[in-house]
Amino acid sequence: MDHFLHLVEDKMAPVASWMGQNKILSAMQKGFMTTLPLIFVGAVFMIIANPPVTAEMIQSGGFASIFAGWYNFATSNKLTILIPYNMTMGLLGPTVAFSIAYYLAGDYKMKGVTSGLTSLIVFLLVASPANYTTLADESVALMMNCSYLGAQGLFTAIVVAISTVLITRFCNEKNITIRLPKVCPPALTDSFSTIVPMLINIALFFAINLLIGHFLEGQTLPMVIEALLAAPLAAVDSVPGTLLLCAFILLLWCCGVHGQMVTMAVTTPIVTAAFASNAALVAAGDAPVFHPIFMTLAISFIGGTGNTFGLCLLSCFRAKSQQLKAFGKATIVPSSFRLSEPALFGAPIMFNPILMIPFLLAGLIVAICYWLVCTAGLVTSPYLLISGTYPIFVSLFVYCLDWRCIVFLLVMIVVTTLIWYPFFKVYDNSLLKNEQAMIAQEPETVHPEKEEELEYAAR
């Protein structure tokens, strides 16, 4: 294990250091980490809106019946409860667009706020342009499509943030700005200097969106990006094809893109048909069969996408660095409810070569193991398509109502934790060294009482 830890540290640390020094990748990491408050608050309301039981489980009595009050309250008020979720995690796109541009502009010694605002406006322009719509009562309303304001629009947010900052930087370097006399106040000078770059950014992306809408009727830039990302996923109706799909989803998350949202158009019809086919078999008295597409479910059984529960568990109880200790305490509850965004944005896993490897391995290994145990008849294949943010052990059980899946999940928790451990250890040690170096650089502070004693001794 020590040899493996040194190997990981020797190979991954230089890559991590390079990625940390790269201005664009560093800005992307900081930008995603800025969204953590939104993600945590949104996760709380998502959990409240989705009790860990179903109506059938409550009606059957037993332990599940204690959740009846919560279930009835959540069912009656779900849309209201989800308003804070929609206004936090539902606005990840604009937040990321602003944050990445803000940090990237700072690295280039540019004005962060104006760069962030430019990126935000351009993102809204291409992802959710406001249009006048005639309602049923013939009144006209100005409305925005919110589909790409959440996780689904993250890749567009990244593209817009980086592009707008680079365009603004080019304008500044080539003096394509409005320059006021030096006697003018700095605030006024800064405001006028951003007008031309902002105009160029808005006009350029607006023209791109118009051209896309002209040649591809009803399409926008985010739709085109999503279609291009999903294009390679046509052949997934096999174990190798689904494994490639799982790897693709996980890789997208490593780049800050919601993999499931990108692939949803391809996977949803196949998943729905597979569940419907198995439900018909069970209704006829036959055993359900395993469809390869079910492996895409397994990459998020244990702590959400990438099966990150092991990382949160290790961080909560085994971390030595203050950063990972705080990370573990903050993410252990959302992770137990299979919400992986806090772990992905908080560690962070994205653009972190040390943690990206176990993220991919933990997702793919659980998917392969799930295929093996289902095809061997050790666990019943899923046949009940029930959506919701259920805790780890409930999530798989509601798909198949087979208690053996709990044993499977317990084994997978151990396996994934072992997968995470060496990489967690290397990352924790790296953070600990950085924290100790920062403490060593801080000037030593002297307590007032101690300072009086030293002055008295000097006299």
Side-chain angles (χ1 to χ4, degrees):
M1 178 60 72
D2 289 339
H3 177 72
F4 182 70
L5 289 174
H6 287 303
L7 180 66
V8 172
E9 192 167 10
D10 292 340
K11 298 297 182 184
M12 293 292 103
V15 179
S17 177
W18 174 81
M19 294 182 73
Q21 294 173 0
N22 183 278
K23 287 183 171 62
I24 292 177
L25 295 178
S26 176
M28 290 170 69
Q29 275 195 345
K30 293 174 185 175
F32 280 113
M33 292 180 73
T34 303
T35 64
L36 275 177
L38 297 180
I39 292 169
F40 279 115
V41 172
V44 170
F45 287 93
M46 174 60 78
I47 292 171
I48 294 173
N50 293 276
V53 291
T54 63
E56 292 78 9
M57 294 168 67
I58 293 174
Q59 291 173 1
S60 64
F63 177 75
S65 61
I66 67 173
F67 295 100
W70 179 5
Y71 179 83
N72 293 332
F73 171 77
T75 303
S76 303
N77 302 280
K78 190 163 189 174
L79 295 179
T80 302
I81 297 170
L82 287 177
I83 290 175
Y85 171 83
N86 292 327
M87 300 308 295
T88 51
M89 290 184 72
L91 294 177
L92 283 181
T95 306
V96 166
F98 179 91
S99 301
I100 293 177
Y102 175 86
Y103 286 112
L104 184 58
D107 289 339
Y108 285 129
K109 309 301 180 184
M110 296 162 53
K111 298 296 180 182
V113 174
T114 52
S115 296
L117 288 174
T118 301
S119 174
L120 174 63
I121 293 167
V122 171
F123 173 76
L124 292 175
L125 181 69
V126 298
S128 185
N131 286 308
Y132 289 98
T133 304
T134 303
L135 304 179
D137 61 357
E138 297 186 356
S139 61
V140 178
L142 185 62
M143 306 183 73
M144 297 172 65
N145 186 338
C146 299
S147 300
Y148 289 94
L149 295 185
Q152 198 169 353
L154 285 179
F155 195 81
T156 303
I158 294 171
V159 172
V160 166
I162 296 171
S163 301
T164 53
V165 171
L166 294 179
I167 291 171
T168 302
R169 182 170 178 244
F170 175 82
C171 291
N172 291 339
E173 290 178 345
K174 301 299 180 181
N175 291 323
I176 309 175
T177 60
I178 298 175
R179 306 181 70 85
L180 297 181
K182 293 182 179 180
V183 295
C184 295
L188 184 63
T189 303
D190 292 340
S191 297
F192 271 82
S193 67
T194 61
I195 292 176
V196 173
M198 183 181 288
L199 178 61
I200 292 173
N201 275 303
I202 291 175
L204 177 62
F205 278 93
F206 184 50
I208 291 172
N209 229 30
L210 288 177
L211 288 172
I212 290 173
H214 177 74
F215 290 105
L216 303 170
E217 187 175 353
Q219 298 288 301
T220 60
L221 179 60
M223 294 178 186
V224 171
I225 291 174
E226 188 177 41
L228 290 174
L229 290 173
L233 307 177
V236 297
D237 194 18
S238 65
V239 171
T242 304
L243 278 175
L244 287 174
L245 173 61
C246 291
F248 183 68
I249 292 171
L250 295 167
L251 282 171
L252 286 178
W253 271 113
C254 289
C255 298
V257 181
H258 197 305
Q260 283 87 345
M261 286 293 185
V262 170
T263 60
M264 185 179 293
V266 175
T267 59
T268 299
I270 303 173
V271 171
T272 304
F275 270 99
S277 174
N278 275 356
L281 288 174
V282 173
D286 298 322
V289 298
F290 186 82
H291 295 261
I293 198 64
F294 290 147
M295 296 168 73
T296 59
L297 306 175
I299 64 174
S300 59
F301 279 161
I302 306 165
T305 306
N307 295 313
T308 56
F309 183 72
L311 173 63
C312 300
L313 200 65
L314 289 167
S315 299
C316 192
F317 298 104
R318 301 284 295 178
K320 294 180 181 179
S321 66
Q322 294 301 316
Q323 179 176 326
L324 278 189
K325 282 181 182 178
F327 162 78
K329 293 175 182 178
T331 57
I332 192 70
V333 174
S335 183
S336 66
F337 277 83
R338 298 173 56 249
L339 294 170
S340 61
E341 285 88 347
L344 283 156
F345 295 135
I349 294 172
M350 291 175 298
F351 304 105
N352 185 336
I354 297 175
L355 298 183
M356 284 165 58
I357 294 174
F359 179 78
L360 291 166
L361 289 176
L364 294 176
I365 287 175
V366 174
I368 292 170
C369 290
Y370 187 53
W371 162 53
L372 293 174
V373 296
C374 286
T375 51
L378 299 176
V379 173
T380 303
S381 296
Y383 60 92
L384 294 173
L385 183 55
I386 301 173
S387 61
T389 308
Y390 300 115
I392 290 173
F393 294 107
V394 179
S395 62
L396 182 53
F397 180 78
V398 297
Y399 285 148
C400 60
L401 303 181
D402 183 355
W403 65 269
R404 295 176 298 177
C405 70
I406 297 175
V407 178
F408 168 73
L409 290 175
L410 284 171
V411 174
M412 289 298 100
I413 288 176
V414 175
V415 170
T416 53
T417 302
L418 290 174
I419 292 171
W420 279 105
Y421 178 75
F423 300 92
F424 153 79
K425 196 69 177 173
V426 170
Y427 188 52
D428 187 41
N429 289 338
S430 174
L431 293 177
L432 183 62
K433 289 178 183 177
N434 291 338
E435 290 173 358
Q436 290 173 342
M438 291 177 64
I439 292 172
Q441 291 174 359
E442 291 179 358
E444 185 178 356
T445 57
V446 181
H447 194 275
E449 294 179 359
K450 185 66 175 178
E451 189 174 0
E452 290 179 5
E453 291 178 5
L454 291 173
E455 290 179 358
Y456 178 77
R459 289 197 300 267

